[in-house]
Amino acid sequence: MTKKLWSVIGLCIAFAVVLLWIYGLAEQRSEYQSSILLGAEGYHMVVRSVKYGMVLVVLVFSSFFLSEILQEWRIHPVQYLLVGAALSIFYLLLLSLAEHIGFTAAYAIGAAACIGLLFWYLRFVLATTRGVHMMTALLTAAYGTMFVLVKMQQYNLLAGSCLLFAALFAVMYYTREIDWYALSDEKSDNHTNVIEERMAARQNHDMQ
């Protein structure tokens, strides 16, 4: 489980780089006013949306990781990668669509497309239908919350800080009884047992 945690952290860093590139692209197109329809304020809302992108990725990845521990889901790092790619592409869709149909319509279409894609994909990844519905509800709530925060220019920092505090409290509450050392030791013991079994099999083969 410790190895999985480091893999997830590495993916978060990789997607932070991707989102930083999208952020730079949005800033660049905002400076040149590439779309008359979108306007300066529209570009600013796109940029603010991208700023919340890393929060969304961390939120979803944390939910997956905790569900692996609490619900015994099995999610491969490649599946984390694909889900993170879908979450990141949303912001590229948002920028490209907003230049033609406006921010609100682009946000609605992009969010619906990504939620639909992940709903379809998670049906094959997660073990239970309940898990699929739970993650879909989480994504829907997250996209809706981010839209409200982007629109709330005056109180977005306060609201965002309160939501992050609430998310941290939820993580601490649901993981308060987890023995993290036991999880790490169990993984280490399993790895040791596998090595011992391989060595025993090799010795038996040599004796034969």
Side-chain angles (χ1 to χ4, degrees):
M1 191 58 68
T2 303
K3 184 178 180 181
K4 172 66 73 65
L5 176 60
W6 283 111
S7 298
V8 173
I9 293 174
L11 287 172
C12 286
I13 295 173
F15 284 116
V17 175
V18 173
L19 291 172
L20 185 62
W21 174 78
I22 297 175
Y23 177 84
L25 179 63
E27 285 277 13
Q28 182 182 19
R29 297 184 74 83
S30 175
E31 291 177 1
Y32 289 102
Q33 291 291 306
S34 301
S35 172
I36 300 177
L37 173 64
L38 189 57
E41 181 58 28
Y43 277 111
H44 290 162
M45 286 192 290
V46 172
V47 169
R48 288 199 297 270
S49 298
V50 179
K51 289 181 180 179
Y52 290 108
M54 200 60 228
V55 176
L56 178 63
V57 172
V58 171
L59 176 65
V60 173
F61 281 10
S62 299
S63 300
F64 279 167
F65 185 77
L66 292 176
S67 296
E68 285 195 77
I69 298 173
L70 300 174
Q71 305 293 332
E72 297 183 353
W73 292 356
R74 295 187 62 187
I75 305 174
H76 194 273
V78 173
Q79 294 168 328
Y80 276 91
L81 175 65
L82 293 174
V83 170
L87 296 175
S88 300
I89 287 177
F90 162 75
Y91 296 98
L92 199 58
L93 284 173
L94 175 62
L95 175 60
S96 57
L97 288 173
E99 292 183 341
H100 299 280
I101 60 176
F103 176 80
T104 302
Y107 194 99
I109 293 174
C114 290
I115 291 173
L117 174 63
L118 290 174
F119 173 77
W120 170 80
Y121 181 65
L122 292 177
R123 290 172 57 197
F124 302 95
V125 174
L126 303 183
T128 62
T129 304
R130 179 175 175 271
V132 176
H133 291 160
M134 183 177 67
M135 292 306 303
T136 303
L138 174 65
L139 287 169
T140 304
Y143 278 117
T145 302
M146 285 194 303
F147 181 79
V148 173
L149 290 176
V150 169
K151 290 289 188 178
M152 294 172 55
Q153 297 186 29
Q154 187 173 0
Y155 299 101
N156 59 355
L157 180 59
L158 175 62
S161 300
C162 292
L163 288 173
L164 287 175
F165 181 84
L168 178 61
F169 171 77
V171 172
M172 295 174 71
Y173 178 81
Y174 285 108
T175 61
R176 67 191 186 280
E177 296 180 355
I178 295 178
D179 187 351
W180 297 100
Y181 284 108
L183 291 174
S184 179
D185 293 341
E186 180 181 356
K187 185 70 175 179
S188 178
D189 292 341
N190 291 337
H191 182 66
T192 302
N193 292 335
V194 170
I195 294 177
E196 291 177 352
E197 290 175 0
R198 290 178 178 176
M199 292 179 63
R202 183 176 299 176
Q203 290 176 357
N204 292 334
H205 179 73
D206 293 339
M207 292 176 62
Q208 293 176 358

